[in-house]
Amino acid sequence: MLFSSYECGGKSGYAFGTFLGEKKIRETIKNIGLYNSKAKNLFLLSNILINDHNGKVPSERDALVKLPGVGRKTANVVLNTFFGKPYIAVD
């Protein structure tokens, strides 16, 4: 919903975070739990992906868990779902 709700000046990927800013992200996701910290993490993560990873999601767990709001479980889901690597997400 967040990705499709806004036109980011023709930019794709995670440019929405820098385009919208933390305040607009917070307003958009305010109906979910912990929205303040999630908005902050989305904004920071977007900037890091654009500036440090050329707009691409890292395909290594060590790099993923360094991103704001990304722990081992989330990293494992990304690695398995998007990169087809043999990782399992468990609590």
Side-chain angles (χ1 to χ4, degrees), residues 10-54:
K11 295 184 180 182
S12 61
Y14 294 93
F16 82 94
T18 55
F19 178 78
L20 293 179
E22 184 179 340
K23 181 179 178 184
K24 188 65 176 174
I25 294 171
R26 186 173 34 255
E27 291 170 4
T28 304
I29 67 170
K30 67 183 175 189
N31 293 330
I32 63 173
L34 304 170
Y35 69 93
N36 283 317
S37 62
K38 289 178 182 179
K40 180 180 180 180
N41 287 336
L42 276 171
F43 177 71
L44 294 171
L45 181 138
S46 298
N47 284 291
I48 291 169
L49 289 178
I50 290 169
N51 296 320
D52 298 345
H53 298 282
N54 297 315

Side-chain angles (χ1 to χ4, degrees), residues 55-88:
K56 299 192 186 292
V57 176
S59 61
E60 299 299 325
R61 184 166 48 191
D62 289 342
L64 286 168
V65 296
K66 291 179 183 175
L67 297 171
V70 178
R72 286 181 59 108
K73 181 180 175 183
T74 300
N76 286 349
V77 170
V78 170
L79 291 169
N80 181 268
T81 304
F82 296 106
F83 295 107
K85 295 187 176 185
Y87 288 90
I88 299 172

